[in-house]
Amino acid sequence: MAELRALVAVKRVIDFAVKIRVKPDRTGVVTDGVKHSMNPFCEIAVEEAVRLKEKKLVKEIIAVSCGPAQCQETIRTALAMGADRGIHVEVPAAEADRLGPLQVARVLAKLAEKEKVDLVLLGKQAIDDDCNQTGQMTAGFLDWPQGTFASQVTLEGDKVKVEREIDGGLETLRLKLPAVVTADLRLNEPRYATLPNIMGAGPKASASGNGSADVAPMEAGCRRLGQGRPVNRGLPCAESQEEED
């Protein structure tokens, strides 16, 4: 019987189908009344963990999300997909903007040690900030091997084989567990979390903790100066053709 335990990070982001609007004061984007969902790459990470469990290679899947109270919805989606337990590291909404990859990686590393997991799975990046840093930083804090941009994951005893996408094609790594793996788009096609499953995910065990202490260092290291829409460049195709004529 499988004894491996997996920790999967899930992030709440503005839904990919929503048209983003920048705040008038350029301090960020409008989030009030805007549909949010699980980051698509995090969905892929959850799906991969569930598939490993279905193959009886993983015993328990723990979904973790850092942020305001609404992140519990994201955890419920992960539970509906097949995760066994959820952990919500609560950060007040007023401080959530300061929650960056460094702070999340610090939290994930502490939880990985506390829960004694063998595998940490994350999406390669979030679609809101596109940082692509959290997985690498988590591996650094834990001093664990890492396989990023994974397009195939295979557990082989006390090792995990990761096929990853690089500019020149595909690279295959064999990592000794425990390890950190980040999921790329082609790793799998996530299953749909049905409404009955989401509603039934409520009774599953879920714990909360205060993550404010891990957010404070962000203020000194990184500060958002402003945010705006990209400047339009060039002309639409039809107008370009008219100019040439």
Side-chain angles (χ1 to χ4, degrees), residues 113-169:
E113 292 175 336
K114 179 181 178 180
E115 297 289 341
K116 296 181 172 56
V117 300
D118 308 280
L119 183 64
V120 176
L121 283 164
L122 311 88
K124 71 170 185 178
Q125 65 193 70
I127 62 171
D128 54 358
D129 57 22
D130 280 331
C131 282
N132 179 27
Q133 297 172 331
T134 307
Q136 293 88 328
M137 289 181 176
T138 302
F141 282 127
L142 290 168
D143 196 23
W144 288 4
Q146 60 180 292
T148 56
F149 312 112
S151 59
Q152 185 175 334
V153 175
T154 308
L155 285 176
E156 301 176 339
D158 65 342
K159 296 181 176 62
V160 57
K161 185 172 75 171
V162 177
E163 192 172 272
R164 61 190 300 267
E165 299 185 3
I166 59 175
D167 289 343

Side-chain angles (χ1 to χ4, degrees), residues 1-6 49-61 84 116 118-119 155-158 177:
M1 182 179 176
E3 294 296 333
L4 299 181
R5 304 174 74 228
V50 173
R51 292 188 183 191
L52 291 173
K53 185 182 177 183
E54 289 173 344
K55 295 175 183 176
K56 302 191 183 303
L57 298 173
V58 166
K59 179 182 180 181
E60 184 183 25
I61 302 170
D84 300 291
K116 296 181 172 56
D118 308 280
L119 183 64
L155 285 176
E156 301 176 339
D158 65 342
L177 295 172

Side-chain angles (χ1 to χ4, degrees), residues 137-213:
M137 289 181 176
T138 302
F141 282 127
L142 290 168
D143 196 23
W144 288 4
Q146 60 180 292
T148 56
F149 312 112
S151 59
Q152 185 175 334
V153 175
T154 308
L155 285 176
E156 301 176 339
D158 65 342
K159 296 181 176 62
V160 57
K161 185 172 75 171
V162 177
E163 192 172 272
R164 61 190 300 267
E165 299 185 3
I166 59 175
D167 289 343
L170 295 175
E171 179 182 55
T172 302
L173 303 176
R174 184 170 279 106
L175 314 173
K176 185 174 178 58
L177 295 172
V180 176
V181 175
T182 69
D184 209 340
L185 188 65
R186 295 173 184 82
L187 180 57
N188 60 54
E189 182 71 28
R191 68 194 66 194
Y192 182 71
T194 63
L195 182 59
N197 285 345
I198 294 175
M199 298 297 290
K204 288 191 177 182
S206 181
S208 296
N210 191 333
S212 298

